[in-house]
Amino acid sequence: MVLDRLKQVAQHVTGATPSPHPFDPLSAAEIEKAVALVNKEHGPLYYNAVTVLEPRKAEMLAWLTDPIHTNRPHRVADVVAIRKGGTVYDGLVDLDEDKILKWESNEGVQPLITMEDLQIVEHLVRKDPKVIEQCALSGIPKEDMHKVYCDPWTIGFDERFGNKVRLQQALMYYRPHVDDSQYSYPLDFTPIFNCDTQEIIHIDIPPVRRPLNQAPPNNYHPAAIEAEGGYRKDLKPINITQPGGVSFNINGRIVEWQNWKVHVGFNYREGIVLNNISYNDKGNERGIFYRLSLAEMVVPYGNPEHPHHRKHAFDLGEYGGGYMTNSLALGCDCKGAIHYMDASFVNRAGASQIIKNAICIHEEDAGILFKHTDFRDDSVIVTRGRKLLISHVFTAANYEYCVYWIFHLDGTVQLEIKLTGILNTYAMKPGEDTHGWGTEVYPGVNAHNHQHLFCMRVDPNIDGPENTVFQVDAKAGPGEVGSAKNKYGNAFYAHRTKFATARESMSDYDGSSSRTWEMANTNKINPYSHKPVSYKLVSREVPALLPKEGGLVWKRAGFARHAVHVTRYQDDQIHPAGRHVPQTSGEPSQGLPEWIAKHGDESIDNTDIVLWHTFGITHFPSPEDYPVMPAEPMTLLLRPRNFFLKNPALDVPPSYSLTPSQIAAKKGAVSNVDKASRAV
Amino acid sequence: MVLDRLKQVAQHVTGATPSPHPFDPLSAAEIEKAVALVNKEHGPLYYNAVTVLEPRKAEMLAWLTDPIHTNRPHRVADVVAIRKGGTVYDGLVDLDEDKILKWESNEGVQPLITMEDLQIVEHLVRKDPKVIEQCALSGIPKEDMHKVYCDPWTIGFDERFGNKVRLQQALMYYRPHVDDSQYSYPLDFTPIFNCDTQEIIHIDIPPVRRPLNQAPPNNYHPAAIEAEGGYRKDLKPINITQPGGVSFNINGRIVEWQNWKVHVGFNYREGIVLNNISYNDKGNERGIFYRLSLAEMVVPYGNPEHPHHRKHAFDLGEYGGGYMTNSLALGCDCKGAIHYMDASFVNRAGASQIIKNAICIHEEDAGILFKHTDFRDDSVIVTRGRKLLISHVFTAANYEYCVYWIFHLDGTVQLEIKLTGILNTYAMKPGEDTHGWGTEVYPGVNAHNHQHLFCMRVDPNIDGPENTVFQVDAKAGPGEVGSAKNKYGNAFYAHRTKFATARESMSDYDGSSSRTWEMANTNKINPYSHKPVSYKLVSREVPALLPKEGGLVWKRAGFARHAVHVTRYQDDQIHPAGRHVPQTSGEPSQGLPEWIAKHGDESIDNTDIVLWHTFGITHFPSPEDYPVMPAEPMTLLLRPRNFFLKNPALDVPPSYSLTPSQIAAKKGAVSNVDKASRAV
Ligand SMILES: [Co+2]
Ligand SMILES: [Co+2]
């Protein structure tokens, strides 16, 4: 609307803070405003989350298309709060009109466990007489209770307790010294904590007891390394510098880099959210993705003994990838020229709090981008690649997840995740058999088999919101060897299967057929290849969900049953395991299965769709992963196919180029070789 | 032997060149010495290859174990030569005793096509009257024959011509201007060239003719980019420097880096060969691999129309990954502080020739190596990774392959291959249907479907040569959901299948079970995990061979029928598609199938074995790949599992470390943050 434009002009003139972009996370001030409005009407409350409600897509697309003549979408806070006694409220607050749009109480629902929720438990566990008794049985005298630690987890789901009462399970550990890694001293019992009454309501005690581990500490801190011979001294520094500055521009939270344009959001659940990703194709700004995020994950552990089935953390839905985000340090987590963004959240009391340097944005050299030498005369071109990384790192109790969204010069978007941190461990008694459910990674320390399964949510916008998904399999051509149509047996082709409905789209990975999935705009045909413009999902780390059909994990983590699901776009379908994940029974299964049960026969052909991709690794621990795990990377690509008319990076200045005519003329080579390099 | 030791001492005293390491490639002087010895007895000859015969393993292991008291293995040249008339000779020359050990002529065998062999064809094709006639039919007047080019390929196998006569097929192109990319102007006919008589003996002409493409050039050279709007100007330099020098030491061709020790060899077939790879595990030098190389590859094209079935290049066995290696340029192909090694080969005339900077050795930063934050108090450790890359790049006519052998601090060896260069293209007439066998990547240009399948040869030496291979699959545990042993259905485990014989070892990839293969030493058990020490092959780009069973490619590329084959070690089993690959019919199939047919029932359990792994990608071209293809990476890992007692990189100095007691004391943090980094 003109009004909005006038407001912006006025801000420009008066020097006031510009309006936030509708995709921006709530600022600290907006969070506090939302809390004030809610508190006035409904307080006192414990705040679980106050986050931006992203604008409804229809409204947002209208505004993005014509911001001058369209109403700017209102800033709306999505509020989750808990009243003493346990009632959970979901609310919406319009921050432009200072108005509570929605305020609903919910039964049988538990919102995620915040860092503050986690921090409370250990303190109380140490004082609980029954816990003290169990510690004594394990061999820990009561005067050593300050050496007892716990990693509080959501309970997942336990049918004995249901979902009416908000619970945590305390995975118990011991530290001989405050600096010792507790994961070498797991205890064998599991207290259950009521978050509302702040009491231990039960302790799960295994039938076979395992006393406190007697092995010496297994540490990774400097004192331990020094005691074992010290640090290696022969690693010489590698300096990475950009004396001319970086190659990206940032306007608010919109990053522009090498024809790419992307809005970098962040929320407490998903962490980084990338919106409105476009590529400037020779002056034509073409939409590619409306939204990309890691939307959910589940880490099922494979030991069937009670109560390990409860270990299947939904780290995003049950704890929050944003809430658990590290404050990054320059020259540690990232090297080079770094731009950081902070993150603002609400705390339990309703105040805002900030994680400094939550998001890291930087460039890296990416090796050879393309090269070709003509064998006749050694005429050559060699051009180096570059990538832009938008990353955050979050700590989920023992594990860390490093998430890198990477933009490439060739139009590819890559998601790389590195797993590091510490294995979840359980106690073993001397000589105990793991029965294959885990590995003894250190004497007395059993690290259970587990999977890390991530669900990436892709809202494609391939030259517009009307898209269609095809499964593509490499297949041998028809005709037996010797037949006229396939005499030598070499025929093969890309077999394309269009997904007409969400139900049809539930598909698994097939490595042998090099299976990929194409998000295409069938209304727009590449004039050269006569194929629809598309982006292809190339993902090769796609294990099957190992927990069995009908079992607890299978029921709760419906998104993980298949590598790909495609649904018709709906504004509130963001969380594939549901809005509130802790203590869901999986009956019925929330999120994707629920949506597909309702809408699974609607057409998803040539309409606004969302692709959900579950990928990850199966982790059988070994001693090399311990006491702290070297980063294990996994990656996937979203690659342009028939989207561009040619390699879009041809105009990246070559390091060196020499043509046949220049060779003949003995002059004219183009050389931009890196002057900082040295031969040694 | 004492003699050898005395010789070395004498060299030390006299300052003479030290004896080459037995794994070293032949020097230029050694090549010329071998040629002189052969020429004297058997000349004149055209030389095809003069390369080191790697020492017999038993002899070499004895010498490596005790070089003082053991005879140093002799330097032996492995010679392939061709006499005018076509007879092929395989010879061995002992360079220490100046003696020809073997000289055999071979019938029906064609050694690989050298760069010189390739260079001859184009010149002769242009003068051939029948080719001139075909060019005229395509629309090229005879005065423009200098604008006609060809990429000569081996013929592969054509049953009409067999293998008695040495042949090449000429894939034909046209350049309007000498600097234009010929791949936009493919011609539709294929001359066949006799290398011995240097004549065109036949031309394959398709039933449907395709005239010369009339589309404008599609170029990537600077003049073309300038004409289209010029280069982008906003990419700021990234400088990578090592002011304190590099972290590796090189002694001869032995590279020592961060506990790793590896001999870097190079030959005309495989390119880089890594020998005797060991890791210094706290003073104990432990063997890991006796030899690693890319041993073969095949690139089958999927168009069944004649004569495209002949397009299935064995780039290593038919042309030589070493022969086709690029001379690398500082600051172009690699950035930072680079150590180069040259490569020496024989030429057709028997003289030595050198490729300068054939191998690049350098370090790169590798991001976060490990990190953990304690959520209680933000005590933290973050340690950055580093990698050592040993790489070469080779040009196979249109394509380039960039091969990176990468050593990591955590004990992992990674092989990364980037594909770049130019698609092989074929002519289309306007409106022609590709029938799904290819993609029109530019008007009139059909890029056929193809696979790039690489065969990595792994000779494991996991704490000694006696090793055993297990296939490992993630499997759900027994017991239905609800049963006592798997109540919640979450049980899963690593199902291990031991390969007892080569025949049993022929196995395919299974992505759904996260399939890996473990090379283990079952005689040595990890004291913590009680599992055998091992290295695990983690490879996720493993398409099935698409050409059908019984067809030409299936017969010739036996190695590509399965993801993994394991054979009992034999000294001369280096080349999985055979020693001389061009014009093999595949009846019988050479290399792996031949060896397994003979020895497939011998035990491969706890003995000296070789694992052959075929991996790669299926490539359905699109316009983005053209006119020069952005590098497409693929990778695999060899990871230590139960090999080390703990993460072997704990002694890498952390960027930052802070323990709970240091937080309490408010002092003592260890900080080595990178000072060159800057916030922007
Ligand atoms: Co893990
Ligand atoms: Co290709």
Side-chain angles (χ1 to χ4, degrees):
Chain A
M1 282 282 278
V2 177
L3 230 163
D4 191 58
R5 178 70 186 139
L6 283 175
K7 212 193 279 181
Q8 285 188 303
V9 170
Q11 279 161 351
H12 187 75
V13 171
T14 61
T17 315
S19 306
H21 190 284
F23 285 134
D24 280 0
L26 296 185
S27 66
E30 288 176 314
I31 290 168
E32 293 184 354
K33 183 176 183 185
V35 168
L37 287 163
V38 170
N39 266 347
K40 199 169 133 196
E41 299 240 352
H42 304 289
L45 290 159
Y46 298 132
Y47 286 86
N48 184 269
V50 178
T51 196
V52 72
L53 179 80
E54 290 176 36
R56 309 299 78 187
K57 194 172 185 177
E59 193 188 349
M60 188 64 187
L61 284 178
W63 183 79
L64 285 168
T65 307
D66 184 3
I68 304 298
H69 303 95
T70 314
N71 270 321
R72 189 185 189 84
H74 284 195
R75 299 290 285 169
V76 178
D78 179 342
V79 178
V80 182
I82 306 175
R83 195 179 301 287
K84 180 76 188 160
T87 308
V88 173
Y89 297 90
D90 287 299
L92 294 177
V93 181
D94 187 319
L95 298 171
D96 288 335
E97 304 196 353
D98 297 2
K99 191 170 125 190
I100 295 176
L101 301 176
K102 182 180 114 172
W103 192 254
E104 285 173 4
S105 68
N106 268 305
E107 283 302 303
V109 145
Q110 296 301 338
L112 56 64
I113 301 288
T114 65
M115 297 303 292
E116 278 174 285
D117 291 338
L118 293 174
Q119 296 282 11
I120 294 162
V121 184
E122 193 166 80
H123 184 63
L124 295 168
V125 154
R126 286 176 178 161
K127 294 183 180 164
D128 184 87
K130 291 206 183 64
V131 173
I132 293 169
E133 184 187 325
Q134 289 303 319
C135 287
L137 286 172
S138 298
I140 301 166
K142 67 171 184 296
E143 59 273 20
D144 279 358
M145 282 306 294
H146 63 288
K147 298 184 177 180
V148 171
Y149 290 77
C150 77
D151 285 2
W153 288 34
T154 69
I155 198 161
F157 179 75
D158 189 315
E159 67 277 21
R160 297 171 299 177
F161 307 109
N163 51 26
K164 297 278 185 292
V165 179
R166 186 164 172 81
L167 300 173
Q168 294 178 59
Q169 54 183 323
L171 307 193
M172 302 297 296
Y173 303 94
Y174 175 79
R175 296 187 192 175
H177 179 278
V178 66
D179 290 342
D180 286 335
S181 169
Q182 67 197 32
Y183 297 99
S184 293
Y185 302 97
L187 305 180
D188 69 344
F189 58 94
T190 314
I192 294 174
F193 177 82
N194 177 323
C195 305
D196 184 51
T197 62
Q198 308 218 337
E199 293 165 325
I200 305 299
I201 59 161
H202 180 80
I203 301 181
D204 277 317
I205 297 166
V208 177
R209 298 309 297 263
R210 292 140 177 121
L212 181 65
N213 195 8
Q214 296 305 310
N218 191 355
N219 290 328
Y220 51 80
H221 57 55
I225 305 306
E226 294 296 354
E228 284 174 19
Y231 284 105
R232 58 184 80 180
K233 294 178 176 62
D234 53 350
L235 261 177
K236 306 287 168 57
I238 293 181
N239 292 343
I240 301 171
T241 53
Q242 293 195 266
V246 296
S247 320
F248 52 81
N249 286 305
I250 299 188
N251 178 9
R253 301 183 70 103
I254 295 172
V255 181
E256 288 187 85
W257 178 79
Q258 301 304 310
N259 302 319
W260 288 103
K261 193 172 189 178
V262 52
H263 180 280
V264 180
F266 198 82
N267 68 46
Y268 72 110
R269 288 285 286 269
E270 301 162 287
I272 291 171
V273 173
L274 302 178
N275 268 114
N276 209 24
I277 299 169
S278 66
Y279 189 93
N280 187 324
D281 184 10
K282 301 182 187 303
N284 181 14
E285 194 168 313
R286 300 174 64 187
I288 298 178
F289 301 107
Y290 182 76
R291 192 179 191 277
L292 283 180
S293 69
L294 264 190
E296 192 50 277
M297 55 183 284
V298 65
V299 184
Y301 283 75
N303 190 327
E305 292 160 27
H306 195 277
H308 303 304
H309 67 285
R310 286 195 316 236
K311 290 198 303 193
H312 56 275
F314 294 72
D315 293 287
L316 305 184
E318 293 187 325
Y319 307 90
Y323 277 163
M324 300 189 293
T325 284
N326 294 184
S327 177
L328 300 174
L330 187 67
C332 293
D333 300 287
C334 295
K335 281 176 75 164
I338 313 293
H339 179 88
Y340 291 109
M341 288 182 180
D342 302 336
S344 295
F345 299 122
V346 73
N347 70 9
R348 188 173 157 93
S352 67
Q353 55 183 15
I354 287 178
I355 298 179
K356 292 291 294 176
N357 297 356
I359 304 174
C360 166
I361 300 176
H362 78 292
E363 294 176 274
E364 287 184 8
D365 181 85
I368 291 174
L369 172 62
F370 53 80
K371 179 172 192 180
H372 182 60
T373 303
D374 190 324
F375 67 87
R376 294 163 186 83
D377 57 6
D378 287 339
S379 60
V380 66
I381 191 161
V382 53
T383 301
R384 282 192 81 79
R386 181 76 62 95
K387 51 193 181 183
L388 178 77
L389 298 92
I390 303 176
S391 64
H392 72 129
V393 177
F394 63 90
T395 298
N398 52 299
Y399 259 109
E400 345 284 309
Y401 296 96
C402 315
V403 179
Y404 304 88
W405 292 96
I406 307 173
F407 291 81
H408 290 268
L409 297 175
D410 69 353
T412 298
V413 180
Q414 179 182 11
L415 171 59
E416 180 170 77
I417 300 178
K418 282 183 171 183
L419 268 60
T420 177
I422 306 183
L423 293 163
N424 170 269
T425 59
Y426 189 65
M428 290 184 81
K429 60 177 185 174
E432 184 178 344
D433 186 351
T434 64
H435 297 294
W437 310 124
T439 301
E440 192 167 5
V441 293
Y442 184 65
V445 179
N446 187 353
H448 294 159
N449 308 336
H450 56 280
Q451 299 190 285
H452 301 264
L453 300 173
F454 302 88
C455 184
M456 176 176 67
R457 183 180 182 280
V458 182
D459 183 348
N461 184 35
I462 314 295
D463 273 334
E466 263 113 54
N467 293 160
T468 306
V469 177
F470 297 84
Q471 174 179 298
V472 183
D473 291 286
K475 274 204 178 180
E480 288 313 295
V481 174
S483 68
K485 62 177 162 187
N486 197 9
K487 186 166 173 193
Y488 299 94
N490 65 307
F492 65 87
Y493 70 106
H495 182 81
R496 296 160 64 81
T497 307
K498 179 160 86 175
F499 292 150
T501 64
R503 218 177 291 282
E504 279 184 15
S505 77
M506 300 187 288
S507 47
D508 301 324
Y509 182 58
D510 185 345
S512 67
S513 73
S514 305
R515 180 168 292 173
T516 56
W517 291 268
E518 269 183 23
M519 291 163 274
N521 185 332
T522 53
N523 311 300
K524 188 149 176 228
I525 303 301
N526 185 298
Y528 292 167
S529 67
H530 315 295
K531 298 178 182 178
V533 297
S534 79
Y535 261 69
K536 176 167 86 164
L537 169 63
V538 183
S539 181
R540 304 298 181 208
E541 299 266 11
V542 193
L545 176 69
L546 288 166
K548 285 188 179 171
E549 180 166 350
L552 183 60
V553 177
W554 186 90
K555 288 190 291 184
R556 298 190 70 217
F559 67 87
R561 294 173 199 164
H562 299 286
V564 161
H565 296 79
V566 182
T567 56
R568 198 159 171 161
Y569 178 84
Q570 292 208 19
D571 276 325
D572 287 319
Q573 294 183 357
I574 300 287
H575 305 304
R579 175 169 164 88
H580 298 302
V581 180
Q583 295 175 246
T584 51
S585 66
E587 290 179 351
S589 188
Q590 286 196 30
L592 266 176
E594 182 189 8
W595 305 330
I596 293 178
K598 272 188 217 151
H599 303 286
D601 296 318
E602 290 175 10
S603 170
I604 57 167
D605 180 4
N606 199 18
T607 185
D608 192 2
I609 51 159
V610 174
L611 184 148
W612 310 81
H613 173 49
T614 298
F615 65 98
I617 59 160
T618 303
H619 189 175
F620 297 115
S622 85
E624 286 86 350
D625 299 335
Y626 202 68
V628 61
M629 198 173 104
E632 181 167 0
M634 76 204 69
T635 196
L636 60 82
L637 305 176
L638 295 160
R639 301 187 67 208
R641 296 272 93 183
N642 304 291
F643 187 81
F644 293 109
L645 275 182
K646 54 171 79 173
N647 174 347
L650 294 179
D651 66 335
V652 174
S655 293
Y656 191 76
S657 171
L658 181 65
T659 64
S661 66
Q662 288 164 346
I663 290 172
K666 294 187 177 150
K667 64 178 179 187
V670 171
S671 176
N672 303 301
V673 300
D674 172 53
K675 304 289 190 305
S677 294
R678 295 281 172 266
V680 296
Chain B
M1 278 284 278
V2 176
L3 229 162
D4 191 56
R5 178 70 185 137
L6 284 175
K7 212 191 280 181
Q8 286 188 301
V9 169
Q11 279 162 350
H12 188 75
V13 172
T14 60
T17 314
S19 306
H21 190 284
F23 284 135
D24 281 358
L26 297 184
S27 65
E30 288 177 315
I31 290 168
E32 292 184 355
K33 184 176 183 184
V35 167
L37 287 163
V38 170
N39 266 347
K40 199 168 133 194
E41 298 240 352
H42 303 289
L45 290 158
Y46 299 131
Y47 286 87
N48 184 268
V50 178
T51 196
V52 71
L53 180 80
E54 290 177 36
R56 310 298 80 186
K57 194 172 185 179
E59 193 188 349
M60 187 64 187
L61 285 179
W63 183 78
L64 285 168
T65 308
D66 184 3
I68 304 298
H69 302 97
T70 313
N71 270 321
R72 188 186 191 83
H74 283 194
R75 298 290 285 169
V76 178
D78 179 342
V79 178
V80 183
I82 306 174
R83 195 179 299 288
K84 179 75 188 161
T87 309
V88 173
Y89 297 91
D90 287 299
L92 295 177
V93 181
D94 188 319
L95 298 171
D96 287 336
E97 302 196 355
D98 297 0
K99 193 170 123 187
I100 294 175
L101 301 176
K102 181 180 115 173
W103 190 253
E104 285 174 5
S105 68
N106 267 305
E107 282 302 304
V109 145
Q110 296 301 339
L112 58 65
I113 300 289
T114 66
M115 297 304 291
E116 278 173 287
D117 292 337
L118 293 175
Q119 296 284 12
I120 294 163
V121 184
E122 193 166 80
H123 185 63
L124 294 168
V125 154
R126 286 176 178 160
K127 294 183 181 162
D128 184 87
K130 289 205 184 65
V131 173
I132 294 170
E133 185 186 325
Q134 288 303 319
C135 286
L137 286 173
S138 299
I140 301 166
K142 68 172 186 294
E143 59 273 22
D144 279 358
M145 282 307 294
H146 63 288
K147 298 184 176 179
V148 170
Y149 290 78
C150 76
D151 284 3
W153 288 35
T154 69
I155 198 161
F157 178 75
D158 189 317
E159 67 277 21
R160 296 170 300 176
F161 306 109
N163 51 27
K164 298 280 186 290
V165 180
R166 186 165 173 78
L167 300 173
Q168 293 178 59
Q169 54 182 323
L171 307 193
M172 303 297 295
Y173 303 94
Y174 176 79
R175 296 187 192 174
H177 179 278
V178 66
D179 290 342
D180 285 335
S181 170
Q182 67 197 33
Y183 297 99
S184 294
Y185 303 96
L187 305 180
D188 69 345
F189 59 93
T190 313
I192 294 174
F193 177 81
N194 178 324
C195 306
D196 185 50
T197 62
Q198 308 217 334
E199 292 165 325
I200 304 300
I201 59 160
H202 180 79
I203 302 181
D204 278 316
I205 297 166
V208 176
R209 297 310 297 265
R210 292 139 177 122
L212 180 64
N213 195 8
Q214 296 305 310
N218 191 354
N219 290 326
Y220 51 80
H221 56 55
I225 305 306
E226 294 296 354
E228 284 175 18
Y231 285 105
R232 57 184 82 181
K233 294 178 176 63
D234 53 350
L235 261 177
K236 306 289 168 56
I238 293 180
N239 292 343
I240 301 171
T241 55
Q242 293 196 265
V246 296
S247 319
F248 52 81
N249 286 306
I250 299 188
N251 178 9
R253 300 183 70 103
I254 295 172
V255 180
E256 289 187 85
W257 179 80
Q258 301 303 310
N259 302 317
W260 288 103
K261 194 173 190 177
V262 52
H263 181 280
V264 181
F266 198 83
N267 68 45
Y268 72 110
R269 288 285 286 270
E270 301 161 287
I272 292 171
V273 174
L274 302 179
N275 269 114
N276 209 25
I277 299 169
S278 65
Y279 189 94
N280 188 324
D281 184 11
K282 300 182 187 304
N284 180 13
E285 193 168 314
R286 300 173 64 186
I288 298 177
F289 300 107
Y290 182 76
R291 191 178 191 277
L292 283 180
S293 69
L294 264 191
E296 192 51 277
M297 56 183 284
V298 65
V299 184
Y301 283 75
N303 189 329
E305 292 159 28
H306 194 277
H308 303 306
H309 67 286
R310 286 194 317 235
K311 290 198 302 193
H312 56 275
F314 294 72
D315 293 289
L316 306 184
E318 293 188 325
Y319 307 90
Y323 277 163
M324 299 190 293
T325 284
N326 294 184
S327 177
L328 300 174
L330 186 67
C332 294
D333 300 287
C334 295
K335 281 176 75 163
I338 314 292
H339 180 87
Y340 290 109
M341 289 181 178
D342 302 336
S344 294
F345 299 121
V346 73
N347 70 10
R348 187 173 156 96
S352 68
Q353 56 182 16
I354 288 179
I355 298 178
K356 293 292 293 177
N357 297 356
I359 304 174
C360 165
I361 301 175
H362 78 291
E363 295 176 274
E364 287 183 8
D365 180 85
I368 291 174
L369 173 61
F370 53 81
K371 178 171 193 181
H372 182 58
T373 302
D374 190 324
F375 67 87
R376 295 164 184 81
D377 58 5
D378 287 339
S379 61
V380 65
I381 191 161
V382 52
T383 301
R384 282 192 81 79
R386 181 75 63 96
K387 50 192 182 183
L388 179 77
L389 297 93
I390 304 175
S391 64
H392 72 129
V393 177
F394 63 90
T395 298
N398 51 300
Y399 259 109
E400 344 285 308
Y401 296 95
C402 313
V403 179
Y404 304 89
W405 292 96
I406 307 174
F407 292 81
H408 291 267
L409 297 174
D410 68 354
T412 298
V413 180
Q414 178 181 12
L415 172 59
E416 180 170 77
I417 300 178
K418 282 182 170 183
L419 267 60
T420 176
I422 306 184
L423 294 163
N424 170 269
T425 59
Y426 188 65
M428 290 184 82
K429 60 176 184 175
E432 184 178 344
D433 186 350
T434 63
H435 297 293
W437 310 125
T439 301
E440 192 167 3
V441 293
Y442 184 65
V445 179
N446 187 352
H448 293 159
N449 307 336
H450 57 280
Q451 297 191 287
H452 301 265
L453 300 173
F454 302 89
C455 184
M456 176 175 68
R457 183 181 182 278
V458 182
D459 184 348
N461 184 34
I462 314 295
D463 273 335
E466 262 112 55
N467 293 159
T468 306
V469 176
F470 297 84
Q471 175 180 297
V472 183
D473 292 286
K475 274 203 178 182
E480 289 313 295
V481 173
S483 69
K485 61 178 164 188
N486 198 9
K487 185 166 174 194
Y488 299 94
N490 65 308
F492 65 87
Y493 69 105
H495 182 81
R496 295 161 64 82
T497 308
K498 179 159 87 174
F499 292 150
T501 65
R503 219 176 291 281
E504 281 184 13
S505 77
M506 298 188 288
S507 47
D508 301 322
Y509 181 58
D510 185 347
S512 67
S513 72
S514 306
R515 181 168 290 173
T516 57
W517 291 268
E518 268 183 23
M519 292 164 272
N521 186 331
T522 54
N523 311 300
K524 187 149 177 230
I525 303 301
N526 184 299
Y528 292 167
S529 67
H530 316 295
K531 297 179 183 179
V533 297
S534 78
Y535 260 70
K536 176 167 86 164
L537 169 63
V538 182
S539 181
R540 303 297 181 211
E541 299 266 12
V542 194
L545 176 69
L546 287 167
K548 285 189 178 172
E549 180 166 348
L552 183 60
V553 177
W554 185 90
K555 288 190 291 184
R556 298 189 69 216
F559 66 87
R561 294 174 199 164
H562 299 286
V564 162
H565 296 79
V566 182
T567 56
R568 199 160 172 159
Y569 177 84
Q570 292 209 19
D571 276 325
D572 288 319
Q573 294 182 358
I574 301 286
H575 305 304
R579 176 170 165 88
H580 298 301
V581 180
Q583 295 175 248
T584 51
S585 66
E587 291 181 349
S589 187
Q590 286 195 30
L592 266 175
E594 182 189 7
W595 307 330
I596 293 178
K598 270 189 217 152
H599 303 287
D601 297 317
E602 290 174 11
S603 171
I604 55 168
D605 180 3
N606 199 15
T607 185
D608 192 1
I609 51 158
V610 174
L611 182 148
W612 310 80
H613 173 48
T614 298
F615 64 99
I617 57 159
T618 303
H619 189 175
F620 297 115
S622 83
E624 286 86 350
D625 299 336
Y626 202 69
V628 60
M629 198 173 103
E632 180 165 2
M634 76 202 70
T635 196
L636 60 83
L637 304 175
L638 295 160
R639 301 187 67 208
R641 296 274 92 183
N642 304 290
F643 186 81
F644 294 109
L645 276 182
K646 54 171 79 174
N647 173 348
L650 293 179
D651 67 335
V652 174
S655 292
Y656 192 77
S657 170
L658 181 64
T659 64
S661 65
Q662 288 164 348
I663 289 172
K666 293 186 178 155
K667 64 176 180 188
V670 171
S671 175
N672 303 301
V673 300
D674 172 53
K675 304 288 191 305
S677 294
R678 294 281 173 267
V680 295

